[in-house]
């Protein structure tokens, strides 16, 4: 440092037996800048470019402007950074649970306490001996060589990017390949899903076009609920179909956004399944329930309920790139939740609650239909049964009960449940369009179009309960 001050230099290379690196100083009364530090066997340099990447560099790191500000505060106005790459830092008691990528550890210091950064420090590692799953980890430099992933995010593209909110010693740990990350029949399931989602998207768009341009003025409460469900499912399909393309770009911000949108639209779809069943319960079972601003309240519930959930998950950085491996060895990427506990608690847990409620309403309606059927005369029984079957299938789709197939994705049912789940749910928009088309064409002249009246869906169901007529619709 003294030599650098005397010679008025801002950069100095360091070469020792097991360490190489660079010192960089931003003097007092100079502009604070974000710096990219690059090292090769021929030179070490600090560059101010935002998008710097030199192929001649064996490693490089990006130090944020925020970190330099903090360094100035504790160094009398001078900003300092030292980056060193160490070799042969293996712990003699290291377990077989992981290895250090390329046996390289990076130490970064700024002569200040640097932590809780909002503009992270980025380090880039090459894949030279990459075998297994990579995770960016840090060591506090004290005591035994114990690693933690706290405060660091891992992104894998052409290089491994470690984005950390604090400074210390860093390395990429390679755990053995996770056999559970290999998804059976991934390519086939992806193809089926893409085709099904594409078909659903088309028919959902047609239904929304028919509603908003042709029939919006005559829509009733059930139709409005159905259209909200269509919008949620459309968002779900769009975000899913574009997810892999966004993940392959390597843009972290875009990946977080598409993962958030996918998760939000999925939770919103679950909420609208719940609202559909609640609407059936209020108008069919309870009957003549008067609720002030009914549509406004359930619309706010349907769209606002998932918002704090996805914001909370995004704030803790759990939306990122997930790697999926097919049995053929092909790698697919998607932007999703990396924490399995969050997935099971939020997604599986929330749908389980919705499933219990919707199933209860579904069984109640079926019970009413069976009771009405026992009272009715036996003539025309076959035709009535067909209508009842179609009514059951319609309710199954409206309540989102097809998603319950995911509960059977274990053991010998794993692969069959994958295919059943994929086909049913990717084509859900198509089936719901058929339902929408029938209730607006076959029953158009049979029921009231007054938005404030009991809607066609519940009227039809009520009709089936009372007299088993018009059940199909």
């Amino acid at each position: 440092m003294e030599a650098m001050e005397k010679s008025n230099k801002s950069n100095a290379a360091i070469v020792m037996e097991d360490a190489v690196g660079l010192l960089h100083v931003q003097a007092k009364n100079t502009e604070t800048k974000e710096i990219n530090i690059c090292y090769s066997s021929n030179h070490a340099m600090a560059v101010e470019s935002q998008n710097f990447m030199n192929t001649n560099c064996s490693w490089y790191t990006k130090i944020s402007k925020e970190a330099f500000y903090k360094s100035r505060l504790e160094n009398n106005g001078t900003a300092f950074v030292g980056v060193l790459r160490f070799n042969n830092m293996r712990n003699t008691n290291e377990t077989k649970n992981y290895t250090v990528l390329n046996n390289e550890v990076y130490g970064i210091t700024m002569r200040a306490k640097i932590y809780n950064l909002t503009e992270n420090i980025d380090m880039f590692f090459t894949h030279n001996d990459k075998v297994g799953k990579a995770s960016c980890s840090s060591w506090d430099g004290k005591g035994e060589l114990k690693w933690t992933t706290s405060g660091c995010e891992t992104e894998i593209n052409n290089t491994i990017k470690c984005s950390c909110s604090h400074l210390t010693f860093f390395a990429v740990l390679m755990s053995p390949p996770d056999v559970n990350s290999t998804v059976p029949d991934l390519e086939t399931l992806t193809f089926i899903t893409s085709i099904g989602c594409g078909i659903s998207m088309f028919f959902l768009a047609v239904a929304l076009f028919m509603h908003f341009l042709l029939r919006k003025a005559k829509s009733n409460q059930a139709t409005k609920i159905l259209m909200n469900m269509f919008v949620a499912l459309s968002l779900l399909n769009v975000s899913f179909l574009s997810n892999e393309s966004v993940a392959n770009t390597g843009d972290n911000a875009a990946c977080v956004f598409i993962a958030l949108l996918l998760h939000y639209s999925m939770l919103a779809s679950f909420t609208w399944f719940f609202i559909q069943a609640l609407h059936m319960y209020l108008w069919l079972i309870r009957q003549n329930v008067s609720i002030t601003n009914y549509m406004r309240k359930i619309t706010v519930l349907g769209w606002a309920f998932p918002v704090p959930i996805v914001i909370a998950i995004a704030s803790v950085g759990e939306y990122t790139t997930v790697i999926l491996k097919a049995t053929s060895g092909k790698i697919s990427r998607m932007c999703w939740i990396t924490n399995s506990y969050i997935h099971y608690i939020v997604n599986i847990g929330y749908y389980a609650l919705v499933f219990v409620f919707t199933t209860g309403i579904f069984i109640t309606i079926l019970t009413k239909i069976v009771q009405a059927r026992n009272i009715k005369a036996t003539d025309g029984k076959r035709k009535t049964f067909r209508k009842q079957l179609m009514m059951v299938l319609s309710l199954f789709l409206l309540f989102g009960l097809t998603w319950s197939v995911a509960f059977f994705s274990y053991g010998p049912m794993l692969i069959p449940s994958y295919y059943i789940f994929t086909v049913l749910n990717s084509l859900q928009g198509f089936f719901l369009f058929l339902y929408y088309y029938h209730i607006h064409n076959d029953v158009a002249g049979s029921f009231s179009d007054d938005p404030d009246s009991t809607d066609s869906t519940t009227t039809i169901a009520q009709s089936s309960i009372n007299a088993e007529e018009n059940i199909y619709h």
Side-chain angles (χ1 to χ4, degrees):
M1 289 293 294
E2 291 177 357
M4 290 175 68
E5 289 178 2
K6 290 179 181 179
S7 59
N8 196 29
K9 291 184 177 180
S10 59
N11 299 325
I14 298 175
V15 179
M16 297 184 290
E17 182 178 354
D18 288 322
V20 292
L22 178 138
L23 297 179
H24 172 75
V25 176
Q26 294 182 5
K28 293 181 181 180
N29 302 319
T30 58
E31 182 183 355
T32 303
K33 301 176 181 178
E34 177 184 90
I35 293 296
N36 290 280
I37 293 176
C38 166
Y39 185 89
S40 74
S41 58
N42 299 322
H43 63 276
M45 60 183 178
V47 182
E48 298 172 7
S49 170
Q50 291 283 345
N51 300 309
F52 176 75
M53 182 179 291
N54 191 320
T55 54
N56 296 322
C57 293
S58 58
W59 56 268
Y60 56 98
T61 184
K62 181 172 71 175
I63 310 298
S64 67
K65 185 186 294 186
E66 180 188 2
F68 277 114
Y69 275 126
K70 291 192 174 185
S71 179
R72 286 186 186 276
L73 291 176
E74 296 190 32
N75 290 280
N76 297 319
T78 300
F80 165 92
V81 63
V83 181
L84 293 171
R85 184 193 66 183
F86 298 91
N87 288 326
N88 304 319
M89 285 187 65
R90 291 183 184 273
N91 187 349
T92 56
N93 297 320
E94 184 178 359
T95 67
K96 296 181 179 180
N97 292 332
Y98 64 85
T99 57
V100 177
L101 179 65
N102 304 331
N103 193 21
E104 297 173 347
V105 176
Y106 291 76
I108 305 178
T109 179
M110 300 187 77
R111 300 176 78 177
K113 295 179 180 179
I114 308 294
Y115 57 92
N116 292 336
L117 292 173
T118 56
E119 300 175 8
N120 286 356
I121 306 292
D122 294 333
M123 293 156 279
F124 300 85
F125 296 76
T126 56
H127 288 194
N128 293 349
D129 57 2
K130 182 178 180 297
V131 178
K133 182 180 179 181
S135 62
C136 297
S137 303
S138 64
W139 168 52
D140 63 8
K142 302 175 183 177
E144 294 184 16
L145 187 56
K146 294 182 180 180
W147 298 101
T148 175
T149 58
S150 177
C152 288
E153 299 176 359
T154 307
E155 295 181 31
I156 303 175
N157 292 297
N158 296 327
T159 59
I160 300 174
K161 176 183 175 182
C162 296
S163 184
C164 302
S165 61
H166 63 288
L167 291 184
T168 183
F169 293 92
F170 302 93
V172 175
L173 302 185
M174 305 304 301
S175 59
D178 184 1
V179 296
N180 294 323
S181 63
T182 300
V183 181
D185 297 356
L186 175 63
E187 293 172 290
T188 305
L189 290 168
T190 301
F191 177 77
I192 294 173
T193 304
S194 299
I195 297 298
C197 287
I199 294 172
S200 286
M201 272 301 305
F202 173 77
F203 284 100
L204 286 170
V206 171
L208 290 170
F209 173 82
M210 292 170 61
H211 173 73
F212 286 105
L213 294 185
L214 304 177
R215 291 170 175 158
K216 186 176 180 181
K218 296 183 178 181
S219 61
N220 47 48
Q221 291 175 347
T223 305
K224 291 176 181 177
I225 292 173
L226 191 62
M227 288 303 104
N228 278 283
M229 183 188 296
F230 279 12
V231 173
L233 289 173
S234 296
L235 286 175
L236 182 62
N237 282 282
V238 168
S239 55
F240 179 82
L241 289 173
S242 59
N243 195 295
E244 185 174 2
S245 298
V246 174
N248 288 332
T249 65
D251 188 325
N252 183 59
C255 191
V256 170
F257 173 77
I258 200 68
L260 186 149
L261 180 62
L262 177 63
H263 195 205
Y264 171 79
S265 56
M266 186 183 75
L267 295 178
S269 298
F270 291 167
T271 306
W272 282 106
F273 295 152
F274 168 82
I275 291 173
Q276 188 71 252
L278 178 65
H279 180 73
M280 286 280 190
Y281 170 76
L282 292 176
W283 291 104
L284 220 106
I285 310 302
R286 294 284 298 275
Q287 298 185 20
N288 299 323
V289 176
S290 179
I291 300 177
T292 306
N293 297 321
Y294 174 69
M295 278 306 304
R296 183 179 300 175
K297 289 178 180 178
I298 62 174
T299 301
V300 171
L301 172 65
W303 294 112
F305 181 79
V307 172
I309 299 175
V310 296
I311 290 177
I313 295 174
S315 65
V316 296
E318 292 297 342
Y319 292 128
T320 186
T321 304
V322 177
I323 307 298
L324 300 174
K325 184 185 296 183
T327 50
S328 63
K330 182 181 178 181
I331 298 296
S332 296
R333 294 179 176 87
M334 73 173 295
C335 303
W336 190 233
I337 301 169
T338 54
N339 191 311
S340 58
Y341 293 104
I342 292 178
H343 170 67
Y344 282 107
I345 293 172
V346 176
N347 300 336
I348 305 299
Y350 180 50
Y351 178 74
L353 294 175
V354 172
F355 174 74
V356 170
F357 179 77
T358 54
T359 302
I361 303 301
F362 180 73
I363 293 173
T364 302
I365 294 174
L366 286 187
T367 302
K368 295 286 187 179
I369 293 175
V370 170
Q371 290 174 350
R373 185 167 182 253
N374 292 334
I375 296 173
K376 186 174 172 64
T378 58
D379 56 323
K381 180 182 281 188
R382 181 177 300 177
K383 183 178 180 181
T384 300
F385 176 76
R386 181 178 65 86
K387 292 181 179 180
Q388 290 172 337
L389 178 62
M390 295 307 296
M391 177 65 182
V392 170
L393 293 177
S394 297
L395 289 176
F396 219 81
L397 291 167
L398 289 172
F399 294 172
L401 296 179
T402 53
W403 288 74
S404 63
V405 177
F407 293 144
F408 302 96
S409 302
Y410 300 97
M413 284 296 296
L414 181 67
I415 302 302
S417 67
Y418 277 175
Y419 278 95
I420 296 171
F421 181 89
T422 299
V423 172
L424 288 178
N425 292 306
S426 65
L427 289 171
Q428 187 175 24
F430 169 69
F431 295 135
L432 286 173
F433 168 79
L434 294 180
Y435 167 79
Y436 170 78
Y437 180 81
H438 278 293
I439 67 173
H440 278 279
N441 287 275
D442 295 341
V443 200
S446 301
F447 299 100
S448 171
D449 283 327
D450 182 2
D452 296 325
S453 67
T454 303
D455 51 78
S456 59
T457 305
T458 53
T459 303
I460 297 164
Q462 185 66 58
S463 170
S464 69
I465 292 173
N466 294 337
E468 289 197 334
E469 295 297 334
N470 302 307
I471 294 175
Y472 170 73
H473 303 297

